[in-house]
C-alpha cells in the first residue's frame, strides 16, 4: 500500500506536474516500499514526463525500458530513445535501431521515413562503437551501403576497410559467447549469413583480404555445419568455408581440409565423407601447413598417412618421425603409440624399454588409462620393507655411501643386492631407474623403477651427488659385494630372515634388526 509520500507524488503526477510524473515513474521503475516494481507503469509515467520536455525521463526510458516492452506499445516511442541516444545513452541507440530498423511491425518502423532510418542507423553505430555486442550484431546484419558506411564510422570494418566490397566485421563478443557456451545452432543462426556474405565477397573480382575475425568465423561455421544434420548442401558449403579459412592460414581449417582430402579421421580410420577417392598429396600439403603452425594432431595424422598400405609413397621412417614430433608437442595418442613402438622394439635393443617408459609416463600424465596400465606391467612396483636399517645409523658409523644406499632402497623398494651393488649414476635416467646388477649378481634380472614424485626426484639428485667421482664397481672404495654385505651386517642393523619370493630380482629377503 502506498505511503503518504507516494500518495502525494501520485496526486502531483495525476495533476499533470512533470516533476511528479518523473518521480512516480522512478518509483515504478526501481520499486519502493509503497509501490511495486512495474516497467509498463513506469514507461507510462516517464513518457508523460518526457512529453513535457524532461530530459531525465528520456534518459531513463532509453537506459531501462527494453525493446521487448517498447515494441508492444501502440504509441511511437522512438523520439524518446532518439533524445536519450543524442544525450550519450548507448543502449537507447540499440533499442531505437531495433524499433525503426526491425521487422517493420511496430508503430515506430511504420512512421519512420528515410531520415528516421538514417538517424537510427547512426545511433546504432554509436552503440556498436560503445561496445554493445547486440548493437554490433544488428549493425552487421544491415544490408547495403548504409550499413557499411555506418560500420565504417563506428570503426567496425573487417578486411582492409576500402571500397564497397568491405564487409562489417562479425560481432565477435556475441558470437564468441555462443561458441564458448556450445550453442552451435545459435552460432550458425547468427554467423551463417555473415559467412555466406564473406564467400560472395571472396568470389568477386575485387575481393578484399579477410581479417582474422572473418577467418575464424568461416572456420567455426564449417565446424558447426559438420555437427548439423546430414545435408549435402551444408557439406559443400562447409568445405568452401574451410578452403577460404585454410587459405587464410587457419590451422584448424587446414587440419580439417587435409583430413577431408585423405578421407580419414585423425587416427587414420577411414571415413565415407566426400565423393571420389582420397587425395593424399593434397592432404599432406594441408596437414603439413597445420602442423607447422603448432597443431600436434596434424603431425599425428600425417604419420597415419605414411603407414597406409594404399599410399604410394608409404614410408615407415617418415611415419615414425612425424609420430615423434606429435608426441614431443604433447599429443597424448602419439605419446602412447611411441611408447608401444619402443616397447615392441626392445628385443633388438633392450634400452628401448627406457624410452617406452618415458612416453608412457607422458601419456599417463595426460590422463591416458591405457598408458597407466602399461606402466604397471613394464615397471611394476617392488616389495616394500626389504631393508630395515636406517641411513642415520650408517652415517654415525662413518659409512655415508652405505647410508645413501639404504635411503635409496627405502625410496624405491630395492632388494638387498640391488641396494648394495647399484651404480647410481648410470642407473638414473631422469624419469626412471635402470636396476641392472647382472654383472655382479648373476641371479638378478634387469628391471625399471619409476621416479614418480618430486620428492623422489629431489632425493635421487641428492644421493647422486654423494656418488660423484666415486667408482661404484668392485675396485672402488666400497669393495666387492661380500665386503659391502659384511659392512652392512657388522653395523648390527639387519639379519637375514627367511627368503621370500617376489619381484624381478629373483628372491627377496626380509632383513630385521
Amino acid at each position: 500500500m502506498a505511503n503518504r509520500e507516494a500518495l502525494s507524488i501520485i496526486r502531483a503526477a495525476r495533476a499533470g506536474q512533470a516533476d511528479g510524473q518523473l518521480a512516480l515513474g522512478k518509483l515504478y521503475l526501481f520499486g519502493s516500499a509503497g509501490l511495486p516494481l512495474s516497467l509498463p507503469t513506469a514507461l507510462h509515467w516517464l513518457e508523460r514526463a518526457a512529453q513535457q520536455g524532461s530530459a531525465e525521463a528520456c534518459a531513463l526510458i532509453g537506459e531501462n525500458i527494453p525493446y521487448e516492452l517498447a515494441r508492444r506499445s501502440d504509441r511511437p516511442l522512438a523520439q524518446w530513445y532518439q533524445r536519450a541516444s543524442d544525450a550519450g545513452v548507448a543502449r537507447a541507440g540499440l533499442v531505437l535501431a531495433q524499433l525503426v530498423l526491425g521487422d517493420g511491425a511496430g508503430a515506430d518502423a511504420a512512421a519512420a521515413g528515410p531520415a528516421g532510418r538514417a538517424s537510427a542507423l547512426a545511433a546504432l553505430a554509436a552503440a556498436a562503437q560503445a561496445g554493445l555486442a547486440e548493437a554490433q550484431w544488428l549493425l552487421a546484419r544491415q544490408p547495403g551501403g548504409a550499413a557499411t558506411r555506418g560500420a565504417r564510422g563506428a570503426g567496425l570494418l573487417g578486411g582492409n576497410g576500402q571500397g564497397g566490397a568491405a564487409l562489417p566485421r562479425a560481432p565477435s563478443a556475441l558470437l564468441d559467447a555462443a561458441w564458448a557456451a556450445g550453442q552451435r545452432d545459435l552460432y550458425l543462426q547468427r554467423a551463417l549469413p555473415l559467412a555466406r556474405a564473406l564467400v560472395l565477397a571472396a568470389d568477386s573480382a575485387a575481393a578484399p583480404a579477410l581479417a582474422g575475425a572473418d577467418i575464424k568465423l568461416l572456420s567455426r561455421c564449417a565446424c558447426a555445419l559438420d555437427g548439423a544434420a546430414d545435408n549435402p548442401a551444408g557439406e559443400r558449403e562447409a568445405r568452401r568455408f574451410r578452403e577460404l579459412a585454410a587459405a587464410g592460414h587457419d590451422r584448424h581449417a587446414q587440419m580439417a581440409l587435409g583430413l577431408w582430402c585423405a578421407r580419414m579421421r585423425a587416427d587414420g580410420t577411414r571415413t565415407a565423407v566426400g565423393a571420389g577417392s582420397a587425395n593424399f598429396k593434397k592432404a599432406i600439403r594441408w596437414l603439413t601447413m597445420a602442423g607447422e603452425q603448432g597443431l600436434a594432431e596434424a603431425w599425428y595424422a600425417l604419420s597415419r598417412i605414411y603407414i597406409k598400405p594404399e599410399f604410394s609413397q608409404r614410408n615407415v621412417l617418415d611415419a615414425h618421425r612425424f609420430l615423434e614430433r606429435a608426441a614431443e608437442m604433447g599429443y597424448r595418442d602419439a605419446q602412447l603409440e611411441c611408447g608401444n613402438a619402443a616397447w615392441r622394439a626392445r628385443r633388438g635393443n633392450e634400452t628401448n624399454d627406457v624410452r617406452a617408459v618415458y612416453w608412457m609416463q607422458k601419456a599417463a600424465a595426460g590422463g591416458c588409462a591405457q598408458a597407466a596400465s602399461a606402466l604397471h606391467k613394464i615397471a611394476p612396483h617392488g616389495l616394500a620393507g626389504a631393508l630395515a636399517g636406517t641411513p642415520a645409523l650408517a652415517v654415525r658409523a662413518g659409512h655415508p655411501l652405505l647410508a645413501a644406499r639404504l635411503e635409496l632402497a627405502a625410496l624405491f623398494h630395492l632388494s638387498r643386492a640391488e641396494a648394495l651393488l647399484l651404480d647410481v649414476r648410470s642407473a638414473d635416467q631422469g624419469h626412471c631407474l635402470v636396476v641392472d646388477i647382472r654383472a655382479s649378481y648373476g641371479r638378478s634380472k634387469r628391471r625399471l623403477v619409476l621416479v614418480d614424485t618430486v620428492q623422489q626426484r629431489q632425493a635421487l639428485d641428492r644421493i647422486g651427488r654423494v656418488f660423484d667421482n666415486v667408482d661404484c664397481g668392485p675396485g672402488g672404495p666400497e669393495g666387492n659385494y661380500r665386503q659391502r654385505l659384511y659392512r652392512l651386517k657388522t653395523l648390527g642393523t639387519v639379519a637375514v630372515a627367511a627368503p621370500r619370493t617376489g619381484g624381478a630380482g629373483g628372491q627377496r629377503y626380509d632383513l630385521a634388526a
Side-chain angles (χ1 to χ4, degrees):
M1 184 175 180
N3 54 29
R4 289 185 178 182
E5 183 181 359
L7 288 174
S8 64
I9 293 174
I10 291 173
R11 285 194 294 268
R14 288 177 176 173
Q17 298 178 17
D19 292 341
Q21 292 168 346
L22 175 62
L24 186 57
K26 287 181 178 180
L27 291 180
Y28 280 111
L29 183 62
F30 303 112
S32 67
L35 296 175
L37 188 150
S38 175
L39 289 183
T41 309
L43 174 60
H44 170 78
W45 289 112
L46 289 175
E47 184 189 7
R48 293 187 63 177
Q51 289 172 355
Q52 297 197 60
S54 174
E56 185 179 359
C58 294
L60 288 171
I61 291 174
E63 183 66 38
N64 298 285
I65 303 302
Y67 166 69
E68 290 74 15
L69 177 59
R71 72 187 296 268
R72 293 198 300 265
S73 176
D74 55 357
R75 300 182 304 278
L77 302 175
Q79 55 181 324
W80 317 129
Y81 288 98
Q82 181 70 65
R83 292 184 187 179
S85 176
D86 294 342
V89 180
R91 185 160 294 279
L94 169 62
V95 180
L96 173 64
Q98 289 173 321
L99 289 171
V100 174
L101 305 175
D103 54 11
D108 293 291
R117 294 180 64 85
S119 297
L121 187 60
L124 179 63
Q129 192 174 21
L132 292 181
E134 290 183 72
Q136 295 173 357
W137 167 247
L138 183 58
L139 183 64
R141 293 186 63 186
Q142 298 308 306
T148 306
R149 290 193 297 272
R152 186 180 296 114
L156 297 170
L157 276 178
N160 55 15
Q162 303 294 327
L167 294 174
R169 180 178 297 170
S172 57
L174 202 60
L175 293 175
D176 288 346
W179 184 265
Q183 299 171 330
R184 298 297 186 261
D185 292 340
L186 178 61
Y187 185 88
L188 272 180
Q189 178 185 350
R190 292 176 171 176
L192 200 53
L194 295 172
R196 288 168 176 164
L198 288 170
V199 171
L200 291 175
D203 292 340
S204 64
L210 292 175
D214 299 330
I215 293 170
K216 181 172 69 173
L217 177 97
L218 290 168
S219 180
R220 287 180 172 179
C221 279
C223 291
L225 284 172
D226 284 344
D230 292 340
N231 182 3
E235 291 179 7
R236 290 193 297 270
E237 198 168 42
R239 188 165 67 254
R240 181 57 179 148
F241 291 164
R242 281 205 177 93
E243 289 171 352
L244 288 176
H249 306 291
D250 182 90
R251 59 180 187 171
H252 297 288
Q254 291 169 344
M255 170 78 182
L257 194 57
L259 292 178
W260 183 86
C261 291
R263 304 295 193 269
M264 72 177 202
R265 300 182 182 88
D267 61 358
T269 56
R270 300 184 64 177
T271 61
V273 64
S277 59
N279 189 328
F280 290 118
K281 184 177 180 180
K282 284 187 177 179
I284 289 172
R285 172 176 172 264
W286 287 118
L287 291 173
T288 302
M289 292 173 67
E292 288 173 348
Q293 292 197 76
L295 201 58
E297 190 179 9
W299 295 119
Y300 182 67
L302 276 171
S303 73
R304 302 302 90 188
I305 289 179
Y306 273 89
I307 61 172
K308 281 184 174 292
E310 63 267 30
F311 181 39
S312 60
Q313 299 178 24
R314 184 177 185 270
N315 190 314
V316 176
L317 293 179
D318 283 343
H320 189 70
R321 179 166 56 89
F322 292 135
L323 183 68
E324 285 203 334
R325 191 163 183 176
E328 289 167 358
M329 294 174 69
Y331 192 63
R332 191 180 69 183
D333 291 350
Q335 292 169 343
L336 175 63
E337 182 61 31
C338 279
N340 286 329
W343 182 247
R344 290 192 297 266
R346 72 190 184 281
R347 297 188 183 277
N349 184 354
E350 68 175 2
T351 60
N352 278 327
D353 59 352
V354 177
R355 191 164 184 81
V357 166
Y358 173 79
W359 288 122
M360 291 296 184
Q361 280 183 313
K362 293 285 188 181
C368 180
Q370 188 177 349
S373 176
L375 276 176
H376 289 300
K377 297 177 181 178
I378 296 173
H381 291 289
L383 299 174
L387 292 177
T390 62
L393 183 61
V395 169
R396 288 198 298 270
H399 300 293
L401 297 180
L402 179 58
R405 290 186 179 278
L406 290 174
E407 184 180 359
L408 195 67
L411 275 172
F412 297 102
H413 302 166
L414 303 181
S415 69
R416 182 179 64 181
E418 289 171 345
L420 293 177
L421 294 173
L422 185 67
D423 187 337
V424 179
R425 291 174 301 170
S426 63
D428 186 6
Q429 300 297 315
H431 61 285
C432 70
L433 281 176
V434 179
V435 180
D436 187 2
I437 59 172
R438 290 173 295 180
S440 303
Y441 197 78
R443 289 182 293 172
S444 68
K445 293 182 179 180
R446 184 178 186 275
R447 69 187 185 97
L448 302 182
V449 179
L450 301 181
V451 180
D452 288 323
T453 65
V454 175
Q455 291 76 15
Q456 287 180 334
R457 181 67 262 167
Q458 292 173 345
L460 191 55
D461 290 339
R462 176 169 45 79
I463 293 170
R465 288 192 293 270
V466 174
F467 287 92
D468 280 344
N469 302 319
V470 174
D471 182 3
C472 294
E478 295 178 283
N480 57 30
Y481 178 59
R482 288 180 176 274
Q483 292 170 318
R484 300 181 193 196
L485 184 60
Y486 175 77
R487 189 176 300 114
L488 176 64
K489 290 181 177 181
T490 55
L491 284 176
T493 60
V494 293
V496 178
R500 169 177 72 177
T501 303
Q507 289 184 334
R508 293 287 183 86
Y509 296 87
D510 287 327
L511 304 178

